Amino acid sequence: MTEFEKMVQKWVVKDYFNPSIKAEVIWDMLLSEFITEIITFGLGDEADEIFLLAKEFPISNEKVVNGKETLSSAKIDYLLLRRPESQKPQIILVELKTSNDSFNEEQLVRYRSYLGGKKTEKFWEHYRSIISTYVTPVCYRKTLFELENSRKYVQQISDIKKVVQEIFPECKAIIAKKNNAELINFLKKKYQAANFQLVYLSMTEIKMVKGTTLQQYAAEQKLEDLKNIILKEIMEEDTGQAKFEKLLGSNNEKTESWKVLSKIINATLKRGSKSFTDLS
């Protein structure tokens, strides 16, 4: 490792165990470059079947004021899609959990309600409403104002356009017209019959309040589309690492970056496995 890489590892591991620092923000940044391969690995898909559409994608909180649903949203960490022709659930909601402390069962109930494809249309409609509201400047007394977070949504929809154009070349004309609502309608139509898959990505196996693991819960509830992908399992040299590096293909630069990240993950797992006495 270079001196810079050693410095990054030292502070990532330190900050992961600092109770005042939100470690998920750090790990989100490190894992984003590899999220497609991680999910592909965990779900047993073929390479290039899954692609990342957006991060921090808003999902309706279903709050109603004066008989009308508001734009109040929860943010899913990663929204990935399978190609529409896939026989598996095509909309993949990925929530990153770096520790059991950050696991929220109420959040699970909210996301679980999407499984089975009952809310596919609502899923896209909510996002179209947000984009229509935030991306268009507000006019007040002949003066244009930007709403809070407007620029972030402009950037997000811009990034989505790049992904959609690469995956669906037939959408090029819609993107050229700069019609955001039409673009979201295109995705809604492409995925109108789609089912959802809910994935929790974690360092180690997630345990729920009653001691049941998330995987056991999914089996008991017969939720085939709920999965806990565990980074520790990818780190297993005999099976995980070799299989994962195959997904990276011939991209040598990305493979080298993954090797560095693997060392950081392993260093974090190693410290996390120490007993309370050893740490103190």
Side-chain angles (χ1 to χ4, degrees):
M1 296 177 80
T2 66
E3 289 305 310
F4 176 76
E5 289 165 353
K6 289 178 182 177
M7 180 268 289
V8 171
Q9 175 174 302
K10 180 182 79 172
W11 285 106
V12 167
V13 175
K14 278 179 174 289
D15 289 351
Y16 178 80
F17 293 97
N18 186 324
S20 301
I21 293 177
K22 192 173 181 181
E24 282 169 16
V25 176
I26 300 169
W27 282 100
D28 170 70
M29 177 192 68
L30 294 172
L31 295 171
S32 290
E33 183 66 20
F34 305 95
I35 194 64
T36 300
E37 289 86 1
I38 290 170
I39 301 306
T40 297
F41 174 93
L43 297 180
D45 280 77
E46 298 296 325
D48 300 324
E49 185 175 359
I50 294 173
F51 58 95
L52 174 65
L53 184 70
K55 292 174 57 176
E56 294 297 315
F57 193 85
I59 296 178
S60 175
N61 276 329
E62 302 185 358
K63 290 185 178 179
V64 177
V65 177
N66 296 328
K68 186 178 180 180
E69 190 168 300
T70 70
L71 295 181
S72 174
S73 308
K75 302 291 195 305
I76 194 77
D77 291 324
Y78 306 94
L79 170 62
L80 294 97
L81 300 177
R82 281 193 179 96
R83 295 179 184 274
E85 60 271 18
S86 174
Q87 298 303 306
K88 298 179 181 180
Q90 297 97 342
I91 301 176
I92 308 171
L93 309 178
V94 180
E95 190 67 20
L96 175 63
K97 296 298 176 190
T98 52
S99 69
N100 272 332
D101 293 339
S102 64
F103 179 73
N104 185 319
E105 293 193 24
E106 289 183 9
Q107 182 189 64
L108 171 61
V109 171
R110 183 192 305 123
Y111 291 155
R112 177 183 166 177
S113 68
Y114 281 87
L115 299 182
K118 300 173 184 177
K119 298 182 177 180
T120 306
E121 184 173 342
K122 182 177 184 178
F123 179 80
W124 297 111
E125 289 289 347
H126 182 72
Y127 188 61
R128 187 175 66 178
S129 297
I130 285 177
I131 292 301
S132 298
T133 301
Y134 284 96
V135 173
T136 305
V138 176
C139 184
Y140 178 70
R141 293 184 178 178
K142 298 183 180 180
T143 302
L144 292 177
F145 294 90
E146 289 182 359
L147 295 175
E148 186 179 2
N149 292 325
S150 286
R151 289 178 183 264
K152 291 183 179 181
Y153 280 116
V154 168
Q155 185 60 57
Q156 186 180 64
I157 195 69
S158 176
D159 291 342
I160 286 175
K161 287 175 183 176
K162 293 174 185 176
V163 176
V164 171
Q165 184 166 315
E166 182 181 344
I167 302 297
F168 304 109
E170 68 270 27
C171 194
K172 190 173 182 180
I174 294 175
I175 293 173
K177 289 192 290 184
K178 298 182 178 180
N179 188 325
N180 294 323
E182 194 172 342
L183 171 66
I184 297 167
N185 281 338
F186 171 85
L187 288 169
K188 186 174 90 170
K189 187 174 181 181
K190 275 284 182 184
Y191 289 90
Q192 61 185 350
N195 284 330
F196 287 79
Q197 176 120 39
L198 175 58
V199 173
Y200 279 88
L201 174 61
S202 58
M203 297 290 285
T204 55
E205 191 170 30
I206 290 177
K207 293 182 179 178
M208 303 177 72
V209 174
K210 295 180 180 179
T212 304
T213 68
L214 186 61
Q215 296 285 54
Q216 290 169 336
Y217 170 82
E220 290 168 2
Q221 299 293 318
K222 298 182 180 179
L223 298 172
E224 295 180 2
D225 299 332
L226 173 61
K227 176 84 173 178
N228 182 195
I229 296 177
I230 304 163
L231 286 171
K232 184 178 180 180
E233 294 179 353
I234 301 179
M235 296 298 103
E236 295 172 358
E237 290 187 10
D238 294 339
T239 52
Q241 281 284 34
K243 181 181 174 183
F244 187 83
E245 288 185 16
K246 280 185 180 180
L247 290 173
L248 297 175
S250 58
N251 191 330
N252 294 330
E253 187 176 328
K254 195 167 185 178
T255 299
E256 289 305 309
S257 296
W258 172 254
K259 288 178 179 178
V260 174
L261 179 55
S262 294
K263 291 177 182 177
I264 297 174
I265 295 172
N266 277 323
T268 307
L269 289 169
K270 184 178 180 180
R271 181 170 178 183
S273 65
K274 289 184 178 180
S275 68
F276 186 80
T277 305
D278 290 337
L279 285 171
S280 60

